Amino acid sequence: MYAQMIKTARSGVKTRDEMTDQERAFQDKIDNDIKIEPRDWMPDDYRATLIRQIGQHAHSEVVGQLPEGNWITRAPTLERKAILLAKVQDEAGHGLYLYSAAETLGESRDELVRLLHEGRMKYSSIFNYPTLNWADIGAVGWLVDGAAIVNQVALQRTSYGPYSRAMIKICKEESFHARQGYHAIMKMAFGSPEQKRQAQDAVNRLWFPAIMMFGPNDSESTHSEQSMAWKIKVKSNDELRQQFVDQTIPQIEYLGLDLPDPGIRWNEERGHYDFSDPDWSEFFDVIKGNGPCNVDRMTARRKAWDDGEWVRDGLLAHAQKKSARTAAE
Amino acid sequence: MTRDEALFDFLLRLGDNTLILGHRVSEWCGHAPVLEEDIALANTALDMIGQTQMWLGLAAEVEGKGRDADTLAFLRDAWDFRNLLLVEMPNGDFGQTLMRQFLFDAFHSVLLGRLMTSSDERVAAIAAKASKEVAYHLERSADTVVGLGDGTEESHARMQAALDYLWPYVGEMFRADAVDAEMVAAGIAPDPAGLREEFDGITTRVLSEATLEIPASSFGHKGGKDGSFHTEHLGHLLCSMQWLQRAYPGCEW
Amino acid sequence: MSNEWPLWEVFIRGQHGLSHRHVGSLHAPDADMAIKNARDVYTRRNEGVSIWVVEARHIAATAPGEKGPLFEPSESKVYRHPTFFDIPDEVGHM
């Protein structure tokens, strides 16, 4: 989702017999839902996988500022501008909480940022799609944050303490995001014909990218087993995707918009909605860097970082001068 | 000019300052030098948008023609804007943004302090709320100006360049006109010229701590607060800010 | 050499009368800016009335391996808890 396609740092789950005493004690804690804390012993692969997952999650929050930030200066009312700005600001905050969680594993924030900027770490595929009309802002809050919340609620139970606590804090703050998005798109769907057209356009464009956020189908997802055993991942991609689809379709219908996928129908037998598979080749293209906005997003982030270097250095130099002066007194 | 007409204009000045500067600061969202600064800038912008809603809301009420804060913000053209030229100046680099913020915060905090004792209770109430927010803005922008001015060689040079660029827009804050005279007569607002001493006290202290040199020239651009001569920048800002309201008139958002 | 701003741990008093609680961390060049950043990052929703910050490297902590010797011995001191003692109801509230 915000952490898609995380390759677990080893292949295959060890049986209890294959584990060392230390590994067995570690697995017992996880099985008993005892949180792993920063200074506890943990397998190197657990640490490495977590750094990758939390880092990718943090990067997603930060890059995720850009598509919505694209509309802050064009928000149509003062209140919408304030809501959107507060919402995008929250994403920066969430990125900060998550980097902090990764830092407890011994990886610095600057290092994670460097890996992102060098293209060696990824962020969620969804943020490589553009926001083309104002209804997209509603749709991003409602569909994208809605999908993220489904995943993040599950992750509150993740085994690593700092990650779990960050998720709890984030979920608490996110609950306003989906609601403000739906509220914004409601105004569009129930507004003028042009507004309704924008709302429909937004749903049509963002539906499949949103359900791709949960990552490939379980049958294709080769790296999940160990992450599930370690409770780094708590529910499977398909489970989460189905949950999201089930909760979202009635919301689309309420808006009076056409469903974005002709394959959507209620399946009485399963007790769930059926829906079409997204075009996974598009997903893999986006992951590889060929989405509509990959290049622009990374250029913007790198520019912000590079342009900010003199500011970070300047303030640090001042702090050091000040403390040297205090010490001399 | 009746007293209410003057009051309307005066309230537009307050509301347009925070509207335009809030807009400028919000342009940073997602692009700041470090996450903590991104979050802090957004807080400043949010405070200013909130202040805008209050000032323009009151302006619309005083005008009594059925407009509201949003119609005033989104449906006036540049010549009807009454903000200081300073706040419409482009962001430039982070240093220029923070220098502009500091100069405005210093003026704003002094002005709001006086407005808290305005004879118009509505004005006094908004000023009381806003002045708490602005006290924090000033503390933060002043700290940052000091940190960057007295930081590295590069940060010092950039801050001095920002100060040199923006200083000619300071004078306008203290120029009085007929609107101000009417406000003074009604006990609603202070004479702008009387704010200069306190402003100079703040800027001299902070800028000297920042090891920056205040430009010697006292030349000041003018034309923002009476709308007669805005910069070219304002029109572009309004183009994006007002676009949706203009392209799809009469909609609810 | 890394020019990363130091890491600070943030503690916030949520309401008057409560203790400060650890809420998270952030980066800042010095203590003054750390407090301001904490205000901007961690009290966006009216969460606090007082902030403490401490540079993360100054925090000393117990080692997880010493959990046994440090904390288990107190488990057997059941008489330290009020419920250990049966007091007849007639005596009244105590």
Side-chain angles (χ1 to χ4, degrees), chain B residues 167-226:
Chain B
W167 192 254
Y169 297 93
V170 164
E172 192 190 11
M173 298 169 176
F174 309 103
R175 292 177 63 95
D177 62 9
V179 172
D180 294 307
E182 187 63 33
M183 291 299 97
V184 173
I188 293 175
D191 178 0
L195 306 176
R196 179 93 211 206
E197 197 184 332
E198 206 180 329
F199 172 88
D200 282 343
I202 298 170
T203 47
T204 306
R205 175 176 55 78
V206 171
L207 294 172
S208 83
E209 207 186 319
T211 69
L212 297 172
E213 212 169 303
I214 296 177
S217 165
S218 62
F219 172 78
H221 294 286
K222 57 181 189 291
K225 68 185 267 188
D226 62 10

Side-chain angles (χ1 to χ4, degrees), chain C residues 76-87:
Chain C
S76 57
K77 316 289 194 291
V78 285
Y79 44 81
R80 282 184 182 276
H81 298 278
T83 46
F84 179 74
F85 304 95
D86 277 334
I87 303 287

Side-chain angles (χ1 to χ4, degrees), chain A residues 25 38 43 60 65 84 94 102 106 113 137 159 188-189 198 203 215-216 234 256 305 308:
Chain A
S60 299
Q65 289 183 275
L84 180 59
H94 297 170
V113 169
I137 294 310
S159 61
M188 306 289 284
Q198 291 178 39
V203 171
V234 180
W305 185 252

